[in-house]
Amino acid sequence: MKNAIIPSICVEPAFLDEVERVLEPNESLASFVETAVRHEIQQRQAQAGWLQRGLAATRHYSAAAGIPAEVVIARLEVKLDAAKQRK
């Protein structure tokens, strides 16, 4: 398989100096950028998965626990009437 190239970006010299200062011994700028991009991809995939699971759970619970308001009110009125009769 042929390798592809991540496009280069223009940054301020001060930022490039900052990046180069944090490089590990024998670490190239290219390997640092590749590692950073891979990490960001994993983070975004994890976040997207978390969001999808959360939305699915919300839909599931709202559909499963959905009792019409009229039914809830009717049940509460029955309980209230029963409590009034006990007094």
Side-chain angles (χ1 to χ4, degrees), residues 42-55:
Q42 290 172 348
Q43 288 290 103
R44 291 183 183 202
Q45 288 172 338
Q47 184 178 23
W50 180 83
L51 183 60
Q52 288 173 349
R53 289 189 303 276
L55 290 173

Side-chain angles (χ1 to χ4, degrees), residues 61-84:
Y61 287 117
S62 64
I67 300 173
E70 298 82 24
V71 173
V72 173
I73 292 172
R75 289 179 185 173
L76 290 173
E77 286 176 345
V78 168
K79 288 182 179 183
L80 181 60
D81 291 341
K84 286 179 181 177

Side-chain angles (χ1 to χ4, degrees), residues 14-23 29 32-33:
F15 181 66
L16 180 58
D17 290 340
E18 188 176 342
V19 172
E20 289 175 339
R21 278 195 301 272
V22 299
L23 292 177
L29 182 57
F32 177 80
V33 170

